[in-house]
Amino acid sequence: MPGSASGSRRVAAALALAFALVDAAPGLAWSRPGHMVTAAIAWRDLEDAPALRARIAYLLAAHPDRAPFEVAIDRSTNEEQVRRRFYECARWPDDARGTVYDHPSWHYAAQALIRDGRPASVGSKGSAIDAFALNINVLRDPSATKAEQAVALCWVLHIVGDLHQPLHTGELFSRDYPEGNRLGALQYVRASPSAEPVTLHWYWDDAVHQSGTLSSVEARATELVVRYPQARDYNDPLAVSHWAYDESFPMLASLAYGPSLRSGRSPETAPVVSDDYRRAVQEAAELRAVGAGHRIAAVLRALFGSVE
């Protein structure tokens, strides 16, 4: 059914606010395959909610940016096609970078992490928390179009994943980085002696999964759910600030920029990460990705749980 004029104006106002929230972005959060793993975990959680899954499929079929979804579904049909759309939905905000759908600041909400006596007057960056609320409102707005709600759904899935990645919740300010380290984008490490240097930000992003094939994503999701059963703690499914600042940010301070970190200020000076740091990052990234997947499912139940 077509929405009312007042409802359309509300959605238009929300989208106008979206463009006002943009600032410079440092990069991705979880790699694209990592976001797909969080979606696969969420999809497993929704196995007992076929009406909710059908509602998701109904919305995603109307997504206005058709090309990435057509590539993702390939020649699949029926339930597999729906799964593929859902996994693409979680990664789509990264696939849409540089397009009219791109909102760089929606990927992070970074508080300042002050080290070495840096004055604590540095402000926060990013608008992921505001963007999450904005897109939740679009999904709850009965006058929003299917296309608008499909875009909002993808952003909700993606932001949940982003805010479970510690480097998307804080920026380091120190003697070496008086203007900030761009969420780890100005620090470089190597995963092994033979590996190419990468930013610290990307090192964390890539820790969950590296392959975007359907079979590998679903196998990885199954593996991680079994490995981390303790991550299934929903709490308040819409408590986005809690995920970011009570969970991810402390991990940023104690682990991501903890005593085991060795990094360089250029690719040429990038050291190999220590075994202790590598193991700790791997476990932390996996645990956070599993938590993100379960929380995506909880958010969707909170939004659409009454669907019959």
Side-chain angles (χ1 to χ4, degrees):
M1 294 178 61
S4 67
S6 61
S8 296
R9 284 195 295 270
R10 285 196 300 273
V11 173
L15 294 176
L17 172 62
F19 288 103
L21 293 175
V22 175
D23 55 29
L28 309 177
W30 306 134
S31 63
R32 289 173 173 89
H35 276 291
M36 293 171 72
V37 169
T38 66
I41 292 169
W43 194 253
R44 287 168 53 100
D45 268 17
L46 299 176
E47 186 175 6
D48 64 343
L52 199 163
R53 283 181 167 185
R55 172 65 177 171
I56 291 167
Y58 171 77
L59 290 180
L60 291 182
H63 199 289
D65 189 16
R66 296 184 61 85
F69 288 87
E70 292 299 321
V71 171
I73 65 177
D74 196 19
R75 296 176 181 271
S76 63
T77 59
N78 302 323
E79 197 271 342
E80 180 185 332
Q81 183 179 108
V82 175
R83 293 201 321 273
R84 286 176 177 265
R85 285 188 189 276
F86 188 67
Y87 301 166
E88 172 59 30
C89 182
R91 61 174 277 175
W92 172 78
D94 286 338
D95 291 338
R97 284 180 180 272
T99 73
V100 295
Y101 301 103
D102 190 12
H103 302 292
S105 73
W106 286 14
H107 296 267
Y108 60 102
Q111 294 183 335
L113 176 62
I114 310 299
R115 292 276 169 86
D116 302 329
R118 172 74 182 176
S121 60
V122 182
S124 60
K125 295 181 179 180
S127 52
I129 291 176
D130 289 339
F132 180 82
L134 185 154
N135 285 286
I136 290 290
N137 287 340
V138 172
L139 287 168
R140 285 174 166 166
D141 186 346
S143 68
T145 67
K146 283 172 55 182
E148 289 166 340
Q149 291 193 328
V151 169
L153 177 63
C154 294
W155 273 108
V156 165
L157 266 63
H158 194 83
I159 291 170
V160 174
D162 281 355
L163 292 181
H164 281 72
Q165 209 276 52
L167 272 72
H168 274 243
T169 64
E171 180 172 20
L172 176 66
F173 291 84
S174 67
R175 187 166 48 249
D176 289 337
Y177 300 97
E179 303 302 321
N181 72 339
R182 294 191 68 237
L183 284 66
L186 299 181
Q187 292 175 261
Y188 297 86
V189 297
R190 294 177 188 269
S192 69
S194 61
E196 293 294 322
V198 296
T199 68
L200 182 67
H201 189 103
W202 179 252
Y203 180 75
W204 274 82
D205 283 351
D206 211 29
V208 175
H209 196 50
Q210 292 81 45
S211 171
T213 65
L214 183 70
S215 59
S216 72
V217 164
E218 293 183 334
R220 182 66 165 152
T222 299
E223 172 194 355
L224 293 182
V225 167
V226 171
R227 184 179 300 168
Y228 300 101
Q230 73 273 28
R232 190 167 184 158
D233 178 12
Y234 292 156
N235 296 322
D236 181 348
L238 301 180
V240 61
S241 293
H242 170 71
W243 314 333
Y245 300 136
D246 295 335
E247 296 178 357
S248 291
F249 187 80
M251 188 177 290
L252 175 87
S254 63
L255 171 56
Y257 299 119
S260 296
L261 172 64
R262 298 196 303 258
S263 67
R265 300 181 66 182
S266 69
E268 294 75 20
T269 61
V272 177
V273 296
S274 69
D275 289 342
D276 286 346
Y277 190 79
R278 176 182 52 79
R279 285 191 294 265
V281 170
Q282 190 68 47
E283 180 177 356
E286 291 174 351
L287 182 62
R288 296 302 286 156
V290 175
H294 290 315
R295 279 178 169 150
I296 287 170
V299 168
L300 295 177
R301 289 180 190 275
L303 287 172
F304 304 128
S306 62
V307 172
E308 297 294 340

mmCIF file of all heavy atoms in Angstrom, residues 217-245:
data_model
loop_
_atom_site.group_PDB
_atom_site.id
_atom_site.type_symbol
_atom_site.label_atom_id
_atom_site.label_comp_id
_atom_site.label_asym_id
_atom_site.label_seq_id
_atom_site.Cartn_x
_atom_site.Cartn_y
_atom_site.Cartn_z
ATOM 1 N N VAL A 217 31.298 -19.764 4.223
ATOM 2 C CA VAL A 217 30.668 -18.869 5.191
ATOM 3 C C VAL A 217 29.811 -19.661 6.167
ATOM 4 O O VAL A 217 29.869 -19.473 7.391
ATOM 5 C CB VAL A 217 29.837 -17.804 4.461
ATOM 6 C CG1 VAL A 217 28.857 -17.118 5.420
ATOM 7 C CG2 VAL A 217 30.746 -16.770 3.815
ATOM 8 N N GLU A 218 29.015 -20.580 5.632
ATOM 9 C CA GLU A 218 28.125 -21.336 6.505
ATOM 10 C C GLU A 218 28.891 -22.328 7.367
ATOM 11 O O GLU A 218 28.536 -22.547 8.547
ATOM 12 C CB GLU A 218 27.055 -22.033 5.662
ATOM 13 C CG GLU A 218 26.126 -21.014 5.012
ATOM 14 C CD GLU A 218 24.991 -21.623 4.228
ATOM 15 O OE1 GLU A 218 25.139 -22.773 3.745
ATOM 16 O OE2 GLU A 218 23.949 -20.950 4.093
ATOM 17 N N ALA A 219 29.944 -22.899 6.844
ATOM 18 C CA ALA A 219 30.774 -23.798 7.650
ATOM 19 C C ALA A 219 31.449 -23.033 8.779
ATOM 20 O O ALA A 219 31.543 -23.521 9.917
ATOM 21 C CB ALA A 219 31.816 -24.489 6.781
ATOM 22 N N ARG A 220 31.934 -21.840 8.474
ATOM 23 C CA ARG A 220 32.586 -21.023 9.495
ATOM 24 C C ARG A 220 31.581 -20.600 10.561
ATOM 25 O O ARG A 220 31.899 -20.597 11.761
ATOM 26 C CB ARG A 220 33.202 -19.794 8.840
ATOM 27 C CG ARG A 220 33.959 -18.876 9.774
ATOM 28 C CD ARG A 220 35.187 -19.528 10.335
ATOM 29 N NE ARG A 220 36.071 -18.529 10.939
ATOM 30 C CZ ARG A 220 36.908 -18.786 11.933
ATOM 31 N NH1 ARG A 220 36.991 -20.009 12.436
ATOM 32 N NH2 ARG A 220 37.686 -17.829 12.421
ATOM 33 N N ALA A 221 30.376 -20.246 10.164
ATOM 34 C CA ALA A 221 29.345 -19.868 11.130
ATOM 35 C C ALA A 221 29.046 -21.032 12.075
ATOM 36 O O ALA A 221 28.960 -20.844 13.298
ATOM 37 C CB ALA A 221 28.081 -19.425 10.402
ATOM 38 N N THR A 222 28.916 -22.220 11.525
ATOM 39 C CA THR A 222 28.647 -23.397 12.355
ATOM 40 C C THR A 222 29.791 -23.654 13.322
ATOM 41 O O THR A 222 29.584 -23.916 14.517
ATOM 42 C CB THR A 222 28.426 -24.625 11.462
ATOM 43 O OG1 THR A 222 27.297 -24.390 10.617
ATOM 44 C CG2 THR A 222 28.195 -25.877 12.300
ATOM 45 N N GLU A 223 31.010 -23.579 12.812
ATOM 46 C CA GLU A 223 32.192 -23.788 13.646
ATOM 47 C C GLU A 223 32.227 -22.816 14.822
ATOM 48 O O GLU A 223 32.483 -23.208 15.978
ATOM 49 C CB GLU A 223 33.444 -23.618 12.790
ATOM 50 C CG GLU A 223 34.753 -23.625 13.560
ATOM 51 C CD GLU A 223 35.919 -23.122 12.735
ATOM 52 O OE1 GLU A 223 35.745 -22.848 11.525
ATOM 53 O OE2 GLU A 223 37.021 -22.984 13.308
ATOM 54 N N LEU A 224 31.976 -21.544 14.564
ATOM 55 C CA LEU A 224 32.099 -20.536 15.605
ATOM 56 C C LEU A 224 30.975 -20.620 16.631
ATOM 57 O O LEU A 224 31.192 -20.395 17.830
ATOM 58 C CB LEU A 224 32.140 -19.143 14.981
ATOM 59 C CG LEU A 224 33.382 -18.842 14.140
ATOM 60 C CD1 LEU A 224 33.329 -17.413 13.609
ATOM 61 C CD2 LEU A 224 34.659 -19.055 14.939
ATOM 62 N N VAL A 225 29.768 -20.943 16.197
ATOM 63 C CA VAL A 225 28.652 -21.083 17.133
ATOM 64 C C VAL A 225 28.926 -22.218 18.115
ATOM 65 O O VAL A 225 28.645 -22.104 19.317
ATOM 66 C CB VAL A 225 27.337 -21.308 16.366
ATOM 67 C CG1 VAL A 225 26.240 -21.779 17.301
ATOM 68 C CG2 VAL A 225 26.907 -20.033 15.661
ATOM 69 N N VAL A 226 29.479 -23.304 17.620
ATOM 70 C CA VAL A 226 29.817 -24.427 18.492
ATOM 71 C C VAL A 226 30.954 -24.060 19.437
ATOM 72 O O VAL A 226 30.952 -24.413 20.624
ATOM 73 C CB VAL A 226 30.186 -25.660 17.645
ATOM 74 C CG1 VAL A 226 30.744 -26.779 18.518
ATOM 75 C CG2 VAL A 226 28.978 -26.157 16.857
ATOM 76 N N ARG A 227 31.917 -23.296 18.939
ATOM 77 C CA ARG A 227 33.097 -22.953 19.735
ATOM 78 C C ARG A 227 32.782 -21.945 20.825
ATOM 79 O O ARG A 227 33.407 -21.968 21.893
ATOM 80 C CB ARG A 227 34.187 -22.393 18.827
ATOM 81 C CG ARG A 227 35.504 -22.088 19.557
ATOM 82 C CD ARG A 227 36.549 -21.560 18.603
ATOM 83 N NE ARG A 227 36.847 -22.518 17.547
ATOM 84 C CZ ARG A 227 37.551 -22.230 16.448
ATOM 85 N NH1 ARG A 227 38.019 -21.004 16.273
ATOM 86 N NH2 ARG A 227 37.767 -23.150 15.538
ATOM 87 N N TYR A 228 31.818 -21.045 20.594
ATOM 88 C CA TYR A 228 31.554 -19.967 21.547
ATOM 89 C C TYR A 228 30.081 -19.950 21.963
ATOM 90 O O TYR A 228 29.360 -18.988 21.680
ATOM 91 C CB TYR A 228 31.936 -18.617 20.937
ATOM 92 C CG TYR A 228 33.387 -18.498 20.551
ATOM 93 C CD1 TYR A 228 33.786 -18.634 19.222
ATOM 94 C CD2 TYR A 228 34.371 -18.263 21.511
ATOM 95 C CE1 TYR A 228 35.121 -18.533 18.860
ATOM 96 C CE2 TYR A 228 35.708 -18.161 21.157
ATOM 97 C CZ TYR A 228 36.075 -18.301 19.841
ATOM 98 O OH TYR A 228 37.399 -18.199 19.492
ATOM 99 N N PRO A 229 29.621 -20.977 22.654
ATOM 100 C CA PRO A 229 28.207 -20.971 23.070
ATOM 101 C C PRO A 229 27.890 -19.856 24.055
ATOM 102 O O PRO A 229 26.751 -19.396 24.151
ATOM 103 C CB PRO A 229 28.033 -22.349 23.725
ATOM 104 C CG PRO A 229 29.414 -22.745 24.155
ATOM 105 C CD PRO A 229 30.332 -22.184 23.107
ATOM 106 N N GLN A 230 28.912 -19.367 24.772
ATOM 107 C CA GLN A 230 28.692 -18.310 25.753
ATOM 108 C C GLN A 230 28.341 -16.975 25.115
ATOM 109 O O GLN A 230 27.888 -16.057 25.810
ATOM 110 C CB GLN A 230 29.934 -18.143 26.640
ATOM 111 C CG GLN A 230 31.133 -17.472 25.965
ATOM 112 C CD GLN A 230 32.045 -18.438 25.229
ATOM 113 O OE1 GLN A 230 31.590 -19.480 24.771
ATOM 114 N NE2 GLN A 230 33.326 -18.095 25.135
ATOM 115 N N ALA A 231 28.560 -16.844 23.800
ATOM 116 C CA ALA A 231 28.301 -15.561 23.135
ATOM 117 C C ALA A 231 26.814 -15.312 22.924
ATOM 118 O O ALA A 231 26.418 -14.220 22.539
ATOM 119 C CB ALA A 231 29.021 -15.506 21.787
ATOM 120 N N ARG A 232 25.990 -16.308 23.193
ATOM 121 C CA ARG A 232 24.554 -16.137 22.957
ATOM 122 C C ARG A 232 23.897 -15.469 24.163
ATOM 123 O O ARG A 232 23.138 -16.064 24.916
ATOM 124 C CB ARG A 232 23.912 -17.488 22.672
ATOM 125 C CG ARG A 232 22.475 -17.373 22.187
ATOM 126 C CD ARG A 232 21.975 -18.681 21.621
ATOM 127 N NE ARG A 232 20.638 -18.520 21.082
ATOM 128 C CZ ARG A 232 20.112 -19.327 20.170
ATOM 129 N NH1 ARG A 232 20.814 -20.314 19.680
ATOM 130 N NH2 ARG A 232 18.891 -19.128 19.732
ATOM 131 N N ASP A 233 24.196 -14.203 24.334
ATOM 132 C CA ASP A 233 23.676 -13.404 25.441
ATOM 133 C C ASP A 233 23.030 -12.171 24.844
ATOM 134 O O ASP A 233 23.700 -11.211 24.496
ATOM 135 C CB ASP A 233 24.822 -13.021 26.388
ATOM 136 C CG ASP A 233 24.344 -12.153 27.540
ATOM 137 O OD1 ASP A 233 23.120 -12.051 27.725
ATOM 138 O OD2 ASP A 233 25.205 -11.583 28.235
ATOM 139 N N TYR A 234 21.701 -12.219 24.731
ATOM 140 C CA TYR A 234 21.024 -11.165 23.990
ATOM 141 C C TYR A 234 20.907 -9.867 24.779
ATOM 142 O O TYR A 234 20.999 -8.784 24.238
ATOM 143 C CB TYR A 234 19.625 -11.621 23.591
ATOM 144 C CG TYR A 234 19.599 -12.728 22.579
ATOM 145 C CD1 TYR A 234 18.506 -13.571 22.482
ATOM 146 C CD2 TYR A 234 20.663 -12.940 21.711
ATOM 147 C CE1 TYR A 234 18.455 -14.597 21.554
ATOM 148 C CE2 TYR A 234 20.622 -13.962 20.781
ATOM 149 C CZ TYR A 234 19.525 -14.784 20.705
ATOM 150 O OH TYR A 234 19.481 -15.800 19.782
ATOM 151 N N ASN A 235 20.669 -9.948 26.107
ATOM 152 C CA ASN A 235 20.397 -8.758 26.899
ATOM 153 C C ASN A 235 19.304 -7.945 26.211
ATOM 154 O O ASN A 235 18.346 -8.491 25.682
ATOM 155 C CB ASN A 235 21.677 -7.932 27.098
ATOM 156 C CG ASN A 235 22.711 -8.685 27.908
ATOM 157 O OD1 ASN A 235 22.360 -9.385 28.850
ATOM 158 N ND2 ASN A 235 23.967 -8.552 27.545
ATOM 159 N N ASP A 236 19.420 -6.639 26.229
ATOM 160 C CA ASP A 236 18.485 -5.787 25.501
ATOM 161 C C ASP A 236 18.931 -5.753 24.041
ATOM 162 O O ASP A 236 20.004 -5.239 23.731
ATOM 163 C CB ASP A 236 18.500 -4.382 26.092
ATOM 164 C CG ASP A 236 17.511 -3.440 25.395
ATOM 165 O OD1 ASP A 236 16.999 -3.802 24.324
ATOM 166 O OD2 ASP A 236 17.268 -2.353 25.925
ATOM 167 N N PRO A 237 18.122 -6.285 23.130
ATOM 168 C CA PRO A 237 18.589 -6.398 21.738
ATOM 169 C C PRO A 237 18.779 -5.071 21.030
ATOM 170 O O PRO A 237 19.345 -5.045 19.946
ATOM 171 C CB PRO A 237 17.474 -7.216 21.073
ATOM 172 C CG PRO A 237 16.269 -6.998 21.919
ATOM 173 C CD PRO A 237 16.785 -6.867 23.320
ATOM 174 N N LEU A 238 18.331 -3.971 21.611
ATOM 175 C CA LEU A 238 18.506 -2.672 20.975
ATOM 176 C C LEU A 238 19.460 -1.771 21.755
ATOM 177 O O LEU A 238 19.557 -0.577 21.472
ATOM 178 C CB LEU A 238 17.151 -1.978 20.804
ATOM 179 C CG LEU A 238 16.128 -2.740 19.960
ATOM 180 C CD1 LEU A 238 14.823 -1.960 19.869
ATOM 181 C CD2 LEU A 238 16.656 -3.033 18.569
ATOM 182 N N ALA A 239 20.202 -2.337 22.687
ATOM 183 C CA ALA A 239 21.108 -1.548 23.531
ATOM 184 C C ALA A 239 22.438 -1.352 22.832
ATOM 185 O O ALA A 239 23.487 -1.819 23.263
ATOM 186 C CB ALA A 239 21.310 -2.235 24.877
ATOM 187 N N VAL A 240 22.413 -0.604 21.748
ATOM 188 C CA VAL A 240 23.575 -0.482 20.874
ATOM 189 C C VAL A 240 24.747 0.189 21.587
ATOM 190 O O VAL A 240 25.910 -0.192 21.368
ATOM 191 C CB VAL A 240 23.175 0.258 19.576
ATOM 192 C CG1 VAL A 240 22.671 1.647 19.881
ATOM 193 C CG2 VAL A 240 24.320 0.301 18.590
ATOM 194 N N SER A 241 24.503 1.158 22.445
ATOM 195 C CA SER A 241 25.598 1.807 23.169
ATOM 196 C C SER A 241 26.304 0.829 24.100
ATOM 197 O O SER A 241 27.524 0.923 24.310
ATOM 198 C CB SER A 241 25.075 3.002 23.971
ATOM 199 O OG SER A 241 24.623 4.020 23.110
ATOM 200 N N HIS A 242 25.558 -0.103 24.653
ATOM 201 C CA HIS A 242 26.157 -1.117 25.524
ATOM 202 C C HIS A 242 27.135 -1.978 24.747
ATOM 203 O O HIS A 242 28.248 -2.250 25.209
ATOM 204 C CB HIS A 242 25.054 -1.983 26.141
ATOM 205 C CG HIS A 242 25.554 -3.198 26.853
ATOM 206 N ND1 HIS A 242 26.224 -3.137 28.055
ATOM 207 C CD2 HIS A 242 25.498 -4.513 26.520
ATOM 208 C CE1 HIS A 242 26.553 -4.364 28.436
ATOM 209 N NE2 HIS A 242 26.119 -5.205 27.518
ATOM 210 N N TRP A 243 26.731 -2.412 23.543
ATOM 211 C CA TRP A 243 27.642 -3.244 22.744
ATOM 212 C C TRP A 243 28.924 -2.490 22.443
ATOM 213 O O TRP A 243 30.017 -3.052 22.507
ATOM 214 C CB TRP A 243 27.016 -3.645 21.408
ATOM 215 C CG TRP A 243 25.630 -4.141 21.456
ATOM 216 C CD1 TRP A 243 24.995 -4.757 22.495
ATOM 217 C CD2 TRP A 243 24.665 -4.069 20.393
ATOM 218 N NE1 TRP A 243 23.710 -5.057 22.145
ATOM 219 C CE2 TRP A 243 23.479 -4.659 20.882
ATOM 220 C CE3 TRP A 243 24.704 -3.559 19.103
ATOM 221 C CZ2 TRP A 243 22.332 -4.757 20.094
ATOM 222 C CZ3 TRP A 243 23.569 -3.654 18.317
ATOM 223 C CH2 TRP A 243 22.397 -4.242 18.811
ATOM 224 N N ALA A 244 28.763 -1.230 22.091
ATOM 225 C CA ALA A 244 29.926 -0.456 21.654
ATOM 226 C C ALA A 244 30.842 -0.081 22.811
ATOM 227 O O ALA A 244 32.055 -0.305 22.750
ATOM 228 C CB ALA A 244 29.458 0.802 20.920
ATOM 229 N N TYR A 245 30.268 0.489 23.871
ATOM 230 C CA TYR A 245 31.108 1.152 24.870
ATOM 231 C C TYR A 245 31.307 0.357 26.154
ATOM 232 O O TYR A 245 32.264 0.614 26.882
ATOM 233 C CB TYR A 245 30.528 2.535 25.187
ATOM 234 C CG TYR A 245 30.469 3.411 23.957
ATOM 235 C CD1 TYR A 245 29.348 4.175 23.665
ATOM 236 C CD2 TYR A 245 31.534 3.458 23.057
ATOM 237 C CE1 TYR A 245 29.294 4.970 22.529
ATOM 238 C CE2 TYR A 245 31.491 4.242 21.918
ATOM 239 C CZ TYR A 245 30.373 4.995 21.665
ATOM 240 O OH TYR A 245 30.320 5.775 20.535
#
